[in-house]
Amino acid sequence: MPIQLTSQAYCKMVLHAAKYPHSAVNGLLVAEKMKEKKKESHWEPVLCVDCVPLFHGTLALAPMLEVALTLIDTWCKENNYVIVGYYQANEHTKDSRPNQVAEKVAARISENFSEAAIVMVDNSRLRMSCFEPIVHIYDHHENKWKSREVTFDCFEDWSEAQKITSALLEGRSYESLIDFDNHLDDLRNDWTNPVINKSVLDLC
Amino acid sequence: MATISEMYDVGWEEMRDKLRKWREDNCRNSEQIVDVGEELISEHASKLGDDVWIIYEQVMIAALDCSRDDLALTCLQELRKQFPDSHRVKRLSGMRLETNTQEKRKISILKAQGKNAEAIRELNEYLEQFVGDQEAWHELSELYINEHDYGKAAFCLEELMMTNPHNHLYCEQYAEVKYTQGGLENLELSRKYFAQALRLNNRNMRALFGLYMSASHIAASPKVSAKVKKDNMKYASWAATQINRAYKLAGRGTKESKCSMKAVEEMLESMQITMS
């Protein structure tokens, strides 16, 4: 069951990377919890409706990651979401393969959702125009993370995603994007990013 | 911010004597020399008599060590004014010029190229010379963390904590590294340092969460005695209360953060269950 990204999920990932262009960033991808009936259709893609930006800078420390995973898991349960993937943008733009941290988090996610995916954001191709998708998607096959070809099918609606992301980048919305690190610095910072969500909705 | 004389209740004579002792013992405690010397120079220069010149020299060298170029320049200018043709002063001038900027630039380039191993090696060499450069120690600790070399990262943070005992951030980061290293001993150490960070700044949320997590894990471990388990459940429970309180305070008035608060409450409750 491959994952598919909505405009909101894609846009917020890119905004997160744009806010911290010289650091590594990461976050979680969430989808709506499927009803029992739908689970049987294996060809149905899993739609990632949203993402939660987590950290920027050093990603390789455990305690806050554990807090974030537990907290967001609880939040998901309340909103009928499930964590289905993990995204990361590396600090050094030449390197877009999933590293140890990515694999560890993805393994953790897989405990709850067997088809967890890793999305690597390619910083080096970050542009205002966003003409092409700047993500690499990895699925777990035979104990290895294999890269999948990124086509427009990986998006619910690529032209909408492109339009919205480009508009928000130009409007510098990334300055107001909140990740979990920002939340820990000041609890009033809301990592669900309601303001940006609304902007996305308004542009749809 | 409190002055040295306020913090330690010392007069300028004691500060001057301390500097002399450090000169005589050839101490390399540049941070302290900068702290004491800067205050002495700015507040009490007129009282120091002829001693002031050797103090300027001492502070200047220490300032270079700590990347305090502003202070180094001030000292140098005073010395130049007083001893315009001195070879000794010319040598100090040279010291300032040949300083760290080139090495720092090289290290930044290596980092940008993703050559972490080389950047680490260069930073280590740099720090042998400029042992007081905080920023460099911190950068090195981050490089080590990214390379998953937590032991060496901890060492860097230990250096930073030693020279900055009041800095809650270093304490908290050290605790995070220890937690990541894992194992009961490291968990207990991490709990202690999260607690210490909280003592230094009781609003550090990372330290609060860290205290909660580390104490919870210790309490849940089958290897600990009943007393240790009970103590850690107490710490975790205290931390949970503080966390809830912090969220309540932050959430006052906003509807959205109520969901955050609820999620936290539930998370804490569910962890309590796994602990007991």
Side-chain angles (χ1 to χ4, degrees):
Chain A
M1 271 187 303
I3 59 157
Q4 215 183 31
L5 301 167
T6 59
S7 305
Q8 180 161 306
Y10 180 72
C11 168
K12 280 159 78 171
M13 271 198 294
V14 173
L15 287 177
H16 195 198
K19 186 179 183 188
Y20 300 105
H22 303 295
S23 301
V25 300
N26 66 358
L28 299 173
L29 295 162
V30 300
E32 281 174 4
K33 198 151 190 201
M34 288 191 294
K35 306 204 194 318
E36 284 306 319
K37 244 194 291 182
K38 267 207 163 167
K39 271 194 196 157
E40 280 155 32
S41 39
H42 290 291
W43 54 270
E44 277 263 347
V46 175
L47 191 60
C48 292
V49 295
D50 203 359
C51 73
V52 180
L54 288 180
F55 304 108
H56 56 272
T58 29
L59 307 180
L61 289 175
M64 297 308 127
L65 179 60
E66 245 184 85
V67 173
L69 283 170
T70 318
L71 201 58
I72 290 162
D73 203 43
T74 313
W75 173 78
C76 278
K77 289 195 174 76
E78 279 169 30
N79 292 280
N80 223 28
Y81 284 152
V82 62
I83 300 177
V84 299
Y86 168 83
Y87 75 83
Q88 184 172 312
N90 283 331
E91 187 179 344
H92 305 299
T93 54
K94 292 201 185 85
D95 170 20
S96 19
R97 282 203 50 85
N99 60 6
Q100 213 180 79
V101 178
E103 296 195 7
K104 272 214 179 118
V105 182
R108 200 44 204 269
I109 297 173
S110 300
E111 286 171 19
N112 252 348
F113 186 79
S114 53
E115 316 263 338
I118 296 180
V119 175
M120 297 299 290
V121 181
D122 192 345
N123 275 356
S124 65
R125 295 192 287 153
L126 189 56
R127 305 273 184 279
M128 288 281 168
S129 53
C130 305
F131 278 138
E132 41 167 26
I134 57 170
V135 290
H136 298 279
I137 304 183
Y138 291 80
D139 303 299
H140 205 124
H141 286 309
E142 297 152 15
N143 270 334
K144 277 202 285 247
W145 288 98
K146 294 217 177 93
S147 160
R148 187 209 308 170
E149 192 197 349
V150 173
T151 63
F152 297 149
D153 284 336
C154 297
F155 300 87
E156 190 190 22
D157 182 342
W158 166 248
S159 66
E160 183 191 72
Q162 183 268 331
K163 189 184 72 172
I164 293 177
T165 309
S166 180
L168 291 182
L169 277 176
E170 276 181 40
R172 296 166 76 142
S173 288
Y174 49 82
E175 285 170 3
S176 55
L177 182 102
I178 303 291
D179 63 12
F180 202 74
D181 257 333
N182 302 137
H183 175 71
L184 289 172
D185 291 333
D186 184 340
L187 292 185
R188 293 166 297 182
N189 288 330
D190 192 343
W191 44 265
T192 62
N193 287 287
V195 178
I196 293 190
N197 290 345
K198 182 161 190 305
S199 308
V200 170
L201 222 57
D202 287 343
L203 286 168
C204 273
Chain B
M1 206 174 78
T3 59
I4 301 280
S5 46
E6 281 166 9
M7 269 204 298
Y8 299 106
D9 196 18
V10 292
W12 68 269
E13 295 104 326
E14 285 162 86
M15 289 166 75
R16 175 203 59 194
D17 292 342
K18 210 49 198 226
L19 282 177
R20 182 188 304 138
K21 182 168 192 308
W22 289 332
R23 269 195 318 270
E24 285 164 5
D25 294 346
N26 224 346
C27 294
R28 220 37 218 284
N29 53 339
S30 308
E31 265 282 311
Q32 284 178 301
I33 295 175
V34 160
D35 282 344
V36 175
E38 187 172 22
E39 197 174 304
L40 200 60
I41 293 169
S42 53
E43 313 278 323
H44 309 282
S46 50
K47 302 187 192 94
L48 294 168
D50 277 330
D51 272 350
V52 75
W53 310 115
I54 199 150
I55 289 175
Y56 272 127
E57 184 185 38
Q58 183 183 14
V59 173
M60 189 214 150
I61 295 173
L64 284 181
D65 236 16
C66 300
S67 286
R68 283 288 312 274
D69 197 50
D70 56 321
L71 183 57
L73 189 56
T74 308
C75 297
L76 192 57
Q77 283 168 338
E78 292 297 314
L79 286 167
R80 276 188 192 141
K81 263 195 297 195
Q82 184 70 11
F83 306 104
D85 291 314
S86 154
H87 280 296
R88 191 157 157 180
V89 174
K90 284 205 175 75
R91 228 186 43 207
L92 287 174
S93 214
M95 245 176 105
R96 183 178 157 260
L97 286 176
E98 78 171 40
T99 171
N100 34 27
T101 39
Q102 278 173 334
E103 285 150 76
K104 282 188 153 170
R105 208 172 291 140
K106 189 162 49 157
I107 292 167
S108 305
I109 292 174
L110 285 172
K111 276 179 67 182
Q113 293 175 325
K115 297 187 177 152
N116 273 8
E118 287 176 53
I120 287 175
R121 203 182 46 223
E122 295 286 331
L123 253 181
N124 269 304
E125 275 178 36
Y126 170 90
L127 280 166
E128 273 171 40
Q129 237 194 325
F130 298 97
V131 82
D133 190 340
Q134 316 261 311
E135 217 180 282
W137 277 113
H138 200 244
E139 246 184 73
L140 187 56
S141 77
E142 283 187 1
L143 281 170
Y144 277 132
I145 290 170
N146 287 337
E147 294 294 304
H148 305 291
D149 196 339
Y150 300 111
K152 299 216 179 80
F155 175 77
C156 298
L157 287 162
E158 279 160 14
E159 279 287 326
L160 286 166
M161 285 195 297
M162 245 192 343
T163 46
N164 302 272
H166 300 293
N167 186 318
H168 64 106
L169 293 172
Y170 295 149
C171 244
E172 183 262 304
Q173 279 170 8
Y174 180 75
E176 285 201 54
V177 170
K178 284 290 153 192
Y179 184 107
T180 309
Q181 280 181 296
L184 192 54
E185 225 177 275
N186 283 325
L187 267 181
E188 294 195 301
L189 231 95
S190 90
R191 192 210 63 227
K192 292 199 176 105
Y193 278 91
F194 279 129
Q196 176 63 6
L198 274 172
R199 262 182 232 114
L200 294 170
N201 180 341
N202 61 6
R203 286 178 303 175
N204 184 330
M205 275 317 288
R206 288 182 180 80
L208 199 47
F209 269 120
L211 176 61
Y212 176 76
M213 300 294 284
S214 50
S216 301
H217 281 306
I218 297 170
S221 163
K223 296 189 215 159
V224 300
S225 68
K227 178 174 189 321
V228 170
K229 185 181 168 98
K230 189 155 161 250
D231 286 343
N232 279 282
M233 285 180 79
K234 243 191 337 188
Y235 302 139
S237 179
W238 178 85
T241 316
Q242 298 304 310
I243 293 172
N244 272 319
R245 186 190 292 173
Y247 270 91
K248 279 203 175 70
L249 252 138
R252 261 204 298 244
T254 43
K255 194 183 75 174
E256 284 92 9
S257 31
K258 286 232 168 76
C259 81
S260 231
M261 200 170 86
K262 193 156 182 285
V264 169
E265 272 176 18
E266 292 208 16
M267 168 187 118
L268 295 174
E269 271 177 37
S270 70
M271 281 197 73
Q272 290 270 33
I273 296 172
T274 51
M275 251 191 343
S276 45

